[in-house]
Amino acid sequence: MPSDPTAPFDLGLLSPATAGHDAEVSDDAVVDALVAAEVALVRAHAALGVADTALADEVSRTLGWQGPLTGCRGHGVDAASLAAAGVADGNPVIPLVGLLKERVPEAAAWLHRGATSQDVLDTALVLVAHRAVSRIADSLRETDAALTSLARTHRDTVAAARTLTQHAVPTTVGVRAAGWARAVRRALARLEAAQAALPAQLGGAAGTLASSADDLGQETAAALPTAFARELGLAAPDAPWHTRRWPVTELGDALVQTVDALGVVAADVAALSRTEVGELAEGAGGGSSAMPQKRNPVDSVLIRSAALRAPQLGVTLHLASALAVDERPDGAWHAEWPALRELLRIALGASAHAVRLTAGLRVDPDAVERNLRLTGGRIVAERLGRVLVPLIGRERFAELLAGDGELGPRIRALPEAAGLDVEGLLDPAAYTGLAGRIVDSLEEQS
Amino acid sequence: MPSDPTAPFDLGLLSPATAGHDAEVSDDAVVDALVAAEVALVRAHAALGVADTALADEVSRTLGWQGPLTGCRGHGVDAASLAAAGVADGNPVIPLVGLLKERVPEAAAWLHRGATSQDVLDTALVLVAHRAVSRIADSLRETDAALTSLARTHRDTVAAARTLTQHAVPTTVGVRAAGWARAVRRALARLEAAQAALPAQLGGAAGTLASSADDLGQETAAALPTAFARELGLAAPDAPWHTRRWPVTELGDALVQTVDALGVVAADVAALSRTEVGELAEGAGGGSSAMPQKRNPVDSVLIRSAALRAPQLGVTLHLASALAVDERPDGAWHAEWPALRELLRIALGASAHAVRLTAGLRVDPDAVERNLRLTGGRIVAERLGRVLVPLIGRERFAELLAGDGELGPRIRALPEAAGLDVEGLLDPAAYTGLAGRIVDSLEEQS
Amino acid sequence: MPSDPTAPFDLGLLSPATAGHDAEVSDDAVVDALVAAEVALVRAHAALGVADTALADEVSRTLGWQGPLTGCRGHGVDAASLAAAGVADGNPVIPLVGLLKERVPEAAAWLHRGATSQDVLDTALVLVAHRAVSRIADSLRETDAALTSLARTHRDTVAAARTLTQHAVPTTVGVRAAGWARAVRRALARLEAAQAALPAQLGGAAGTLASSADDLGQETAAALPTAFARELGLAAPDAPWHTRRWPVTELGDALVQTVDALGVVAADVAALSRTEVGELAEGAGGGSSAMPQKRNPVDSVLIRSAALRAPQLGVTLHLASALAVDERPDGAWHAEWPALRELLRIALGASAHAVRLTAGLRVDPDAVERNLRLTGGRIVAERLGRVLVPLIGRERFAELLAGDGELGPRIRALPEAAGLDVEGLLDPAAYTGLAGRIVDSLEEQS
Amino acid sequence: MPSDPTAPFDLGLLSPATAGHDAEVSDDAVVDALVAAEVALVRAHAALGVADTALADEVSRTLGWQGPLTGCRGHGVDAASLAAAGVADGNPVIPLVGLLKERVPEAAAWLHRGATSQDVLDTALVLVAHRAVSRIADSLRETDAALTSLARTHRDTVAAARTLTQHAVPTTVGVRAAGWARAVRRALARLEAAQAALPAQLGGAAGTLASSADDLGQETAAALPTAFARELGLAAPDAPWHTRRWPVTELGDALVQTVDALGVVAADVAALSRTEVGELAEGAGGGSSAMPQKRNPVDSVLIRSAALRAPQLGVTLHLASALAVDERPDGAWHAEWPALRELLRIALGASAHAVRLTAGLRVDPDAVERNLRLTGGRIVAERLGRVLVPLIGRERFAELLAGDGELGPRIRALPEAAGLDVEGLLDPAAYTGLAGRIVDSLEEQS
């Protein structure tokens, strides 16, 4: 195996759940955001009137400034070299600043002015996260629309509800889809709230902005973080948050909640795609290297793999938060970066696969109907009990249900059941409760 | 060791971080809440005019109803027996319903009517959680007040800031305390939001309220969850949430965030209590079984132990959410109960210890001052660099800093430094940037 | 809800997966073990000839010494009081020593001699763990025996193998059971190895046995840990392991592996018990509070809930190990105790349920056969491809498989298939490869 | 930010703890191993006499076979293309087989013969893991040697032991280093055991080797997995382990244990490098973007960041194991790949940094001595108590210890202390217990 240290480590070969959906969080994207943070700092100084506007424009031009919420482009900073150079000091910002000063020597005094490496790296990660969340949110909206449409279409498609793996009572395909949609919407709302709260970071060496205050005076220094955030399109911080990591953990929690919501869809699709169940099928099933007949529910499988990984990355973010000792911590912060990126990557991938999954999902009404009839009427045993137990007692009712046969003839054979509308009583469609309303209320809320 | 199955499993012997602070989440408290959920269901039927009000009153009286947001008392249901009886079916609600029907036989037809065991257990856990969160929130408010006061008192107590374990630049004790307070407030806000969103659960066998609709008609059935929630003082659910577990995970995330915020306080107190540092000391240190001189920072140690445990319980909640397959899942739901309880317990304990820790926390200004002077002035090296590098160049500046000696004489010996206010330049108090403002803005936000 | 601090926190009401199976790890059991550790220390001093044997006997008698690998009994130390008293100093050993000295005042000088509280608590937890592991191992042996018997009985019961939820090729029920058994055996071996390595802890205040050496001389002090371990039946430590926590993490890893192995059995049983599949059924299914017809796979559900919780407790153990700073750490050690106990509890419960599950597991051969035939012969598509693709090409073979109908008539209608033994070719029993050997080799290894 | 899907995702920019140390687990390395697995399968058929040896040689030559425990080279398969192509079916093996058949068309019938994609991917991951573990083990051996040497050098360098952050009693630098070494050795032993157990995977479509048995007969098919493993230098599997994932979790557990052991070294170095403590310093400290005087303990910080991440990856492996349902699971297996790779990467990086850290670690004996004297003799309070409490009682002894002053004069002023060798009593070097033996026994064990 190669020992070439410049070999790309990870192109997604072992991450089919995320491969091809993660450009927003690639190393190149991170470099673009790091450069943008440095440029924005110069621009903020100019916006406050302390740096020369022409100089800020020159820096912006040379380093490829693209405006708020966007990384720089064409800056010529190479991610691989920066990654290698960043090991010695433990982060890539120190070598980056050197490179940028070489590229725009006339602005050397204004680059990174008053900042510490954590200011730049935190801000860049927030910027990368902001963009990734926008992509994820788009996917969630598409997924919600597909699920809402599915719920509407199958509002009255009666199906077996299953609890603890066993047929329980009837429900509808629409209720199930509406539940999926509700969870997706909730996750989306939480994700958007976390995104909107994402603040720029600017605190200087230890969170007091001492260098800036020394340099520019307290008033200007106090205005700098907000000006910096405005250039980038991020929220202004209430104070430096070097060791208060809730912006990261709240985002992380929302990302995990997103993958949870998609995980439920995938779990249900996988279960209901089983050969014996067959109620659902993915639009584009995956093939097998050995078995030509197989159509695997690949999107569900990949989303499920994401759902099994995401919460643990949330742990790393929370530990990094809880162990953020001193004015900047001794390892906790460094643990946060790859965990946040991988969590974004997982949510990007899972949501992209969810779009495909929900757009193509097929319901087999025949299988739904066949399964519903599978227990010979026991699917409405709860209802039967309410009617029959008063007539024949609990014991005889239990005998009635025992075994596998159709309940209709057995009930009709009961003298006590004379006059009952047995067919109506056994009709699953007549025992779906508020299923229709639950679907309809989803529409109203959308 | 005993094999008595009725021996209390856990009184907190191995959990000093939580022992004595967890009555809200004890098994007894859970039973009280389970009974309250069953009573509330009868009351909700009465409130909607379908059950007899006198009967509901009788049930309330017999089973010790205490009103909203409170468990029942004096109902005579024994937690240990219920725990044992709950194993066979996998949850304690089934035997509970039997017991309650025995206790109020005249209301047997109305007890548990239309409900499934998950409705009652979820609602009871939500009720228990709601109360526990109120207790935690009280502790956080006390903690915040103590920290805000500490920040105010030490607004201008200059101290060494440390990054990656090393002295960096000056900061103030006030800034540090203000940062702690900000994180506690944010966690509190998030906790209160999650608490307010905690919904009652009522969906019937599979989330369609089929039995209630069959029994009472769709209109009344549709009103039932809201009436049920109102009796209990909980939020009304938008729809049954048997397999959409965001109310649990959002609460869990907020609890973990709470413990994170307290964990940072504890981490800093532990670090700054080190014998060599000595800047902080807990009011009541713990003793040692072997070393009479020791005063251990026990509250910090216990809070830290909580912070190392909490995030992993959040994982269980998220996995339970993401794997909530079918209309009620095959294990994921069951994993949620003990994890949620333990997480509540940890947050109850950590916040109680934080109250004690922050109320008694002592600052040793002499130690703060001594440490600040420890590096012979290098604590303001960042500032010195801005002034001296232009005068003597980067190389000679590095030589100036090298070694351990006091910088003052060395600087004064520089011909280029003639005319500089060296004392002023070296004064840490003159290099604390926006420290005062950061403290003051905390007050304004409170 | 009660605020009585002496209310038992946890009797298992919210932990049906473990309730009733956790006496070995109850607070009472921990107290018994703590007392045993203190008694063993006196006995070790006597065994080395430095304490009076009669005194050691007296201590043993008064405090209910039961011999190696057993906690003391009848010592009169109350777990609840000790739990409450242990909060102030952060562990229960300090108040315990006081209590024991009151009970055996004549031995006061010899109780806890040379030890630190961590010595006693670690040793007690190891003792508790050792006993719990013996119980778990017994359950695993029973489970293995049941599974091995199941594998033998169903060595040749041909069944559909499923990959990514879809029918793949034939396998046998025996192969599946043999796989379960193999994983259980491996976990058992690992658990026994971790148990055998569990060392007593004896290092004194900071792991140098300074007090004992000062007291008894180096030779005797050096012999003390081994003598102490011998009294308790535990492994002798190579050196104090206050901050080297591999004995705990290795045990934890083996416990998680145990629950993993049982989790797979439960996952398969739950999946194959689905109403539509019906190949397996638990001997004693659980009931429902709402649906009289249901037989839930409760043991599987509870084991699955355990499997979703166990790995996260392992994380706490590993973090406690990795953060074991200084000579005794500032929170990490305290996080370990409840995590280890809960992990033992989960493994005790899961293995007990596995015994019941595997003892009563029923195979429905009709359902197995019905499912095997469900795809009209496509279950052997891999085999058909090897025979037919050379005859009719890949494209026509794909057409042949398309749709749902029986493949037999379609193949017989192919001119190119004349002369083929179509029935034999389609016989699933003729395409089970090494299934029989895989079962048989299990027997040989047992 | 770029949306180019072929942009390398991860070069290590956000992972300074691992960057530059992960070539063994790069995507290129995985492709090399995948190709090696396919080649080895052809070679195994030839070794058993069923495939033509010349053909196997031709395949080996064309695809760059390098022998056992080594990936193929120069095979021309591009990782990025394969990653993209692997999404549709959920794994990269299906497109890989197509590519290889194009490259060696004459061997098309023998490539992938009898295998399923999981056979090839599992085997490749095992191969990659095997090589990575060899590298990690080398680093651990170097680290152990450095620590053992450090322990020997500082066998008698007396230092303050700290428990719960407070000075406790004396210890030696040697004992501390010996403890680090012991934990590293234990982890190494466990890692080597897990490596030696890593089996090749060969089970065919569903773990029965049905295709091979149909093709080659039972005897030859039964010999195939062992022959396959022999070509690769891996352990022969006792049976296919598609859903019995202990080889992966046992390796994962050992990797986490490895990082735990290194994490303790890093935690201690970080704590003892604090500006106020100053007992240890890394050979090559990292710089700061803002503060020229700083020398950050970068290796420790990066190792600590690794230690905070590793255990959670272990959770993913265990969940993947516990949820391995059916004959091949519906998401759990896919979750395993990136988690195992990242865990290997973390262990590679942490162990490489540990080599550098321990090789360059500097002890400052003056600081050690200064800290030891910091409490005016209270560091030996345990010893003083044993001598003085009998003379002056517990209360007066407590008064003696109170405050900060030097204890020597106070003790000498006690009438009861006349005749005591106060200087000797206060000498920390005379109260280090078995410290020397603990170091020496390390040497004996190495």
Side-chain angles (χ1 to χ4, degrees), chain D residues 68-146:
Chain D
L69 293 178
T70 314
C72 286
R73 292 200 192 148
H75 42 70
V77 178
D78 175 56
S81 321
L82 203 58
V87 176
D89 300 316
N91 81 58
V93 177
I94 301 175
L96 174 70
V97 174
L99 283 173
L100 297 184
K101 288 184 176 176
E102 283 173 26
R103 285 190 63 76
V104 208
E106 63 278 21
W110 291 98
L111 279 163
H112 201 65
R113 187 165 189 133
T116 192
S117 53
Q118 184 167 359
D119 293 332
V120 174
L121 189 44
D122 277 351
T123 299
L125 285 177
V126 158
L127 191 57
V128 161
H130 200 288
R131 285 176 66 87
V133 169
S134 293
R135 172 71 63 102
I136 297 163
D138 285 345
S139 294
L140 294 183
R141 277 181 218 105
E142 274 193 72
T143 301
D144 175 30

Side-chain angles (χ1 to χ4, degrees), chain B residues 60-118:
Chain B
S60 299
R61 216 169 13 250
T62 308
L63 298 178
W65 173 255
Q66 305 288 320
L69 293 178
T70 314
C72 286
R73 292 203 191 145
H75 43 68
V77 178
D78 176 57
S81 320
L82 203 59
V87 175
D89 299 317
N91 80 60
V93 177
I94 300 174
L96 174 70
V97 173
L99 282 173
L100 296 185
K101 288 184 176 177
E102 282 173 26
R103 287 192 61 78
V104 208
E106 63 277 22
W110 291 99
L111 281 162
H112 201 64
R113 188 165 188 133
T116 192
S117 52
Q118 184 168 358

Side-chain angles (χ1 to χ4, degrees), chain B residues 212-230:
Chain B
S212 296
D214 208 38
D215 184 17
L216 314 171
Q218 291 224 351
E219 290 304 321
T220 305
L224 194 60
T226 301
F228 178 59
R230 191 179 303 127

Side-chain angles (χ1 to χ4, degrees), chain C residues 304-320:
Chain C
R304 275 170 69 73
S305 77
L308 292 176
R309 295 177 57 214
Q312 289 85 271
L313 293 161
V315 170
T316 305
L317 299 183
H318 279 291
L319 288 173

Side-chain angles (χ1 to χ4, degrees), chain D residues 38-61:
Chain D
E38 294 286 0
V39 174
L41 186 59
V42 177
R43 294 175 61 90
H45 279 90
L48 293 177
V50 292
D52 187 69
T53 304
L55 188 75
D57 288 347
E58 172 63 20
V59 167
S60 300
R61 218 172 8 252

Side-chain angles (χ1 to χ4, degrees), chain B residues 162-168 270-271 273-276 290-297 319 371 378 381-382 397, chain D residues 162-168 270-271 273-276 290-297 319 371 378 381-382 397:
Chain B
R162 295 157 182 95
T163 62
L164 288 78
T165 74
Q166 302 300 297
H167 281 201
S273 298
R274 284 188 164 271
T275 304
E276 290 85 357
M291 294 156 287
Q293 86 281 15
K294 289 197 67 183
R295 286 296 163 268
N296 292 322
L319 288 172
N371 291 335
R378 285 165 192 79
E382 184 187 45
F397 181 63
Chain D
R162 296 159 182 95
T163 63
L164 289 79
T165 73
Q166 303 300 297
H167 280 200
S273 298
R274 284 188 162 270
T275 304
E276 290 86 357
M291 293 157 288
Q293 86 282 15
K294 289 196 68 184
R295 285 297 164 266
N296 292 321
L319 288 172
N371 291 335
R378 285 164 193 79
E382 184 187 46
F397 180 63

Side-chain angles (χ1 to χ4, degrees), chain A residues 358-375:
Chain A
T358 56
L361 192 62
R362 293 192 310 246
V363 178
D364 180 342
D366 294 340
V368 170
E369 172 74 14
R370 185 178 62 240
N371 290 335
L372 192 59
R373 304 286 170 193
L374 206 60
T375 58

